[in-house]
Amino acid sequence: MKAVMIMFDSLNKHMLPNYGCDWIHAPHFQRLSERTMTFDKCYAGSLPCVPSRREIHTGRYNFLHRSWGPLEPYDDSMIDLLRKSGVYTHLTTDHTHYFEDGGATYHTRYNSWEFARGQEGDPWKGNVEDPHIPESLSGPKQGDLWRQDWVNRKYLDSEEKMPLAVTFNRGIEFIEKNHDQDRWFLQIEAFDPHEPFFTHSKYKDLYPHDYQGKHYDWPDYSKVTQQPEEVQHMKYEYAALVSMCDEYLGKVLDVFDQYNLWKDTLLIVNTDHGFLLGEHRWWGKNIQPLYNEITNLPLCIWDPRYDVRSRRTDALVQTIDLPPTLLEFFEVDIPADMQGSSIRPIIESNSPIRVAALFGIHGGQINCTDGRYVYMRGPKDINNGPLYEYTLMPTHMHHMFNPKEFAGMELAAPFSFTKGCSVMRLLASNFLNPYLYGDLLFDLETDSSQETVIADPVVEVTMIGHIARLMREHDAPTEQYERIGIPKDGMVTVEELEQEKEMKRRQNEVDLGLNERWGVKSKEAFFTLSCLTPNPMRSMLNAKLALIVQRKASPEVSEDDVLQLATSLFGNHAPRLAGFLKMLLT
């Protein structure tokens, strides 16, 4: 028995023909669905990139205990377990995050691995002289990513040099070399269609359109402020990259046909998360709320033990279900600490394996779906705490923890899954306070695009019960229940829920003691600034805003007053914060 996983990054379900998109050129994704079972209700677990990959190894949620980080010494890695059981494992990828501090323990689990260089500012080619960068609608990126990406692009001047092409061609080479061998697992992992949406004319020409604007193929994670033609151009740039992904997916399907791998080879085609392309007026994937465009994922599986093809299922599955699926296929014992379930019963008899699923970002809303409803549970108050990181591998995405982050570090008692290891407990924070969005409930049956928040306390109580149960099963830290304001047993009444909502409403009221008048925009601006302000500084906001308003002829609070307050609080960082604040309010 053999298995191939083709994993893309930021692949949007709603942009694929096998999920209803009728204008994109991606015939091989349609061909894929004709040979596999297609899952309509597959959800992410932990976001974004590397937290998702930890789930693919461990089969358990990452985001309840940890943000972005490597595999931990106590983690059960599905790849490790396969390798130790005599299954040869090979990774071919162009995903740069594996080769940074925050992802450095993943690729080394495989028997062998190959890395194609050049994606998204990969520190690949050394050019001291600054590259030519055309005038662009995009803003600066983290660190040197923007500059380095333009250095790399000039070396990717033909399709065969593109990292996506190199990654897939190496995977095909592995198959051609080993198709007649048994017990191997191949992971072909593409960074595309992750931004930047850089392709050659062969794929861009599939989407002819009249665009005369500035260069634009790398959206900032922000609100949509561009003109309609600029937004549409970006969607076409993304579509071109999806078409290139489709081309290389087709090459793998050709090899499956050529060697009749369908008879004994499991095929999984999946992604880590989606990407907002202007939906809900946002670009990106790390911005909350985590709408379905980001979290409801494409998934197609062929299991050679069952002749299940050209069939769809609405059974609820998640990323954490993939590791036990692969272990079960190779008849390797599934560790007790893996909380995911094998997908085999769904393929075999369409028997469901879960009634609800959690998903989220560390320190963000804790989200839950039962397939019909999506409930986004925010923190109980504006402090969004307590919040800690639990780790023995203290690294962030690009760098190790700063020594200052160890101030107050404690050794926490072992969790059920840490194999008896105590772990570091470190104070944590997140980029955007989820209190800004509160608690949200959507009914996907009547509102699949999640445009309207509904009020249904009975459903909300049920979803809180699901959240608490799944948190208990994953041995979530006790303070996570406190942070989102639910009891560990999940037992909440409708009356208690209504009381909580009234309490939150009162918490959000503002009175400067000046008999002041507030406009809708100014009140929204002050609430947003309060959410963005670090906890130690937040207590000063009312008094400082009162001083600004007292200097005016009449006690009327304007949006400009709030921006002036931001400037007085944050000094050199004020222009950036003010810009971010204005962006959130657009």
Side-chain angles (χ1 to χ4, degrees):
M1 305 294 274
K2 304 179 271 284
V4 176
M5 175 188 285
I6 301 174
M7 182 174 178
F8 297 98
D9 193 305
S10 307
L11 181 64
N12 279 339
K13 171 184 166 183
H14 64 286
M15 292 281 282
L16 297 176
N18 48 333
Y19 285 100
C21 185
D22 59 4
W23 59 268
I24 199 160
H25 183 85
H28 298 296
F29 277 102
Q30 186 64 48
R31 173 185 169 197
L32 173 70
S33 275
E34 292 167 1
R35 283 297 320 225
T36 62
M37 174 173 273
T38 300
F39 291 77
D40 290 321
K41 293 182 179 178
C42 175
Y43 275 80
S46 302
L47 281 80
C49 305
V50 164
S52 171
R53 281 152 184 80
R54 189 175 176 208
E55 293 193 348
I56 284 176
H57 279 252
T58 66
R60 59 180 306 113
Y61 300 132
N62 171 87
F63 77 98
L64 296 172
H65 301 82
R66 186 72 166 95
S67 60
W68 187 297
L71 283 172
E72 300 279 351
Y74 45 77
D75 280 345
D76 295 309
S77 163
M78 174 266 293
I79 299 300
D80 242 353
L81 293 167
L82 289 177
R83 182 172 55 83
K84 290 174 181 177
S85 298
V87 178
Y88 191 94
T89 58
H90 183 72
L91 170 70
T92 171
T93 186
D94 57 352
H95 206 288
T96 60
H97 294 316
Y98 282 133
F99 303 91
E100 299 166 339
D101 288 347
T105 59
Y106 291 91
H107 65 283
T108 50
R109 307 274 73 75
Y110 298 79
N111 289 88
S112 51
W113 51 269
E114 297 175 280
F115 177 34
R117 304 298 301 269
Q119 288 280 21
E120 196 209 23
D122 172 18
W124 176 36
K125 296 295 186 180
N127 277 46
V128 177
E129 183 182 6
D130 284 339
H132 170 69
I133 300 177
E135 190 175 3
S136 173
L137 291 176
S138 299
K141 310 301 177 196
Q142 188 176 23
D144 292 329
L145 285 181
W146 182 243
R147 179 190 183 278
Q148 185 65 48
D149 193 70
W150 283 98
V151 169
N152 293 344
R153 288 191 191 202
K154 70 178 183 180
Y155 295 95
L156 305 174
D157 55 0
S158 62
E159 182 174 334
E160 65 269 16
K161 296 179 184 177
M162 293 285 282
L164 174 68
V166 174
T167 296
F168 269 82
N169 286 336
R170 286 173 175 171
I172 291 168
E173 177 187 7
F174 178 91
I175 293 173
E176 290 175 335
K177 185 178 296 183
N178 298 288
H179 68 88
D180 57 350
Q181 301 298 307
D182 196 22
R183 291 184 67 76
W184 52 256
F185 170 70
L186 168 66
Q187 186 168 330
I188 302 175
E189 185 175 334
F191 190 69
D192 290 325
H194 191 291
E195 74 279 4
F197 308 141
F198 170 50
T199 52
H200 291 286
S201 58
K202 170 183 174 181
Y203 301 102
K204 294 180 187 293
D205 291 348
L206 295 171
Y207 306 96
H209 60 289
D210 183 21
Y211 177 71
Q212 304 298 324
K214 298 176 183 178
H215 178 89
Y216 196 36
D217 66 5
W218 194 343
D220 301 320
Y221 288 12
S222 65
K223 281 278 187 75
V224 173
T225 58
Q226 294 78 14
Q227 296 301 309
E229 64 272 16
E230 295 165 339
V231 173
Q232 189 58 56
H233 172 70
M234 183 65 81
K235 289 182 178 179
Y236 284 143
E237 294 288 84
Y238 177 85
L241 193 50
V242 171
S243 292
M244 185 176 181
C245 292
D246 178 81
E247 176 84 2
Y248 284 86
L249 169 65
K251 293 178 185 294
V252 176
L253 298 181
D254 290 344
V255 174
F256 262 67
D257 289 342
Q258 178 182 350
Y259 296 112
N260 192 23
L261 294 178
W262 306 106
K263 70 180 184 298
D264 62 1
T265 306
L266 180 73
L267 176 63
I268 299 173
V269 178
N270 65 311
T271 190
D272 50 0
H273 49 69
F275 193 92
L276 289 174
L277 291 166
E279 299 89 359
H280 308 284
R281 299 176 60 223
W282 276 98
W283 299 108
K285 61 176 181 283
N286 296 342
I287 302 298
Q288 298 171 81
L290 296 176
Y291 293 108
N292 262 17
E293 288 87 353
I294 300 172
T295 58
N296 185 199
L297 312 179
L299 175 67
C300 295
I301 298 180
W302 164 259
D303 188 327
R305 296 170 297 184
Y306 309 100
D307 190 22
V308 177
R309 64 183 78 194
S310 196
R311 187 186 301 175
R312 309 188 77 89
T313 179
D314 61 0
L316 187 62
V317 298
Q318 286 198 271
T319 300
I320 62 170
D321 297 322
L322 296 178
T325 299
L326 280 158
L327 291 176
E328 185 276 330
F329 178 75
F330 282 108
E331 300 180 342
V332 176
D333 290 341
I334 299 170
D337 291 333
M338 274 194 183
Q339 292 297 309
S341 298
S342 172
I343 293 172
R344 177 179 180 172
I346 301 174
I347 300 171
E348 185 177 26
S349 59
N350 207 28
S351 300
I353 62 171
R354 60 173 59 251
V355 297
L358 292 188
F359 56 93
I361 290 175
H362 184 254
Q365 290 170 312
I366 293 185
N367 310 278
C368 183
T369 183
D370 62 0
R372 173 175 176 176
Y373 296 100
V374 171
Y375 179 53
M376 303 175 176
R377 178 76 183 182
K380 70 180 188 303
D381 59 43
I382 199 168
N383 295 317
N384 190 32
L387 181 64
Y388 296 98
E389 296 258 16
Y390 293 90
T391 184
L392 290 175
M393 303 287 287
T395 64
H396 295 299
M397 182 191 301
H398 298 297
H399 55 84
M400 292 179 281
F401 275 38
N402 187 293
K404 293 179 181 178
E405 293 182 82
F406 293 93
M409 185 270 287
E410 298 175 342
L411 202 60
F415 289 98
S416 62
F417 56 89
T418 62
K419 313 295 189 293
C421 295
S422 296
V423 293
M424 288 184 284
R425 177 169 60 206
L426 302 129
L427 277 173
S429 61
N430 58 350
F431 174 66
L432 189 60
N433 189 341
Y435 191 72
L436 187 62
Y437 300 106
D439 305 329
L440 307 173
L441 179 64
F442 297 97
D443 184 351
L444 301 179
E445 192 171 283
T446 61
D447 178 26
S448 60
S449 59
Q450 295 173 293
E451 298 292 339
T452 305
V453 177
I454 66 168
D456 191 328
V458 175
V459 172
E460 198 169 345
V461 164
T462 300
M463 299 304 282
I464 288 172
H466 288 319
I467 290 173
R469 174 180 57 80
L470 289 166
M471 288 175 65
R472 292 193 305 272
E473 289 176 3
H474 285 260
D475 199 11
T478 301
E479 70 272 6
Q480 284 282 22
Y481 301 92
E482 180 183 351
R483 183 178 72 88
I484 64 170
I486 66 170
K488 192 170 183 178
D489 63 9
M491 300 297 290
V492 177
T493 66
V494 169
E495 291 75 20
E496 289 170 333
L497 196 61
E498 295 296 347
Q499 291 169 7
E500 178 197 61
K501 291 181 186 300
E502 176 59 22
M503 181 188 69
K504 287 183 177 180
R505 187 192 65 77
R506 290 198 304 269
Q507 284 177 353
N508 297 339
E509 290 177 350
V510 185
D511 183 0
L512 303 179
L514 304 174
N515 198 26
E516 73 277 3
R517 296 184 301 277
W518 292 80
V520 174
K521 276 290 186 183
S522 59
K523 186 168 286 190
E524 184 183 352
F526 185 72
F527 175 68
T528 303
L529 178 62
S530 299
C531 289
L532 296 177
T533 301
N535 292 346
M537 299 175 63
R538 194 175 295 120
S539 60
M540 302 185 293
L541 291 180
N542 283 23
K544 286 185 173 292
L545 182 59
L547 289 174
I548 292 171
V549 176
Q550 282 175 328
R551 300 189 194 108
K552 301 173 69 172
S554 62
E556 184 170 338
V557 185
S558 69
E559 193 175 342
D560 287 340
D561 295 332
V562 178
L563 292 173
Q564 184 181 340
L565 172 63
T567 301
S568 69
L569 280 173
F570 295 99
N572 293 336
H573 299 288
R576 184 181 177 193
L577 178 68
F580 188 68
L581 188 60
K582 288 180 179 178
M583 181 268 292
L584 288 174
L585 294 171
T586 55

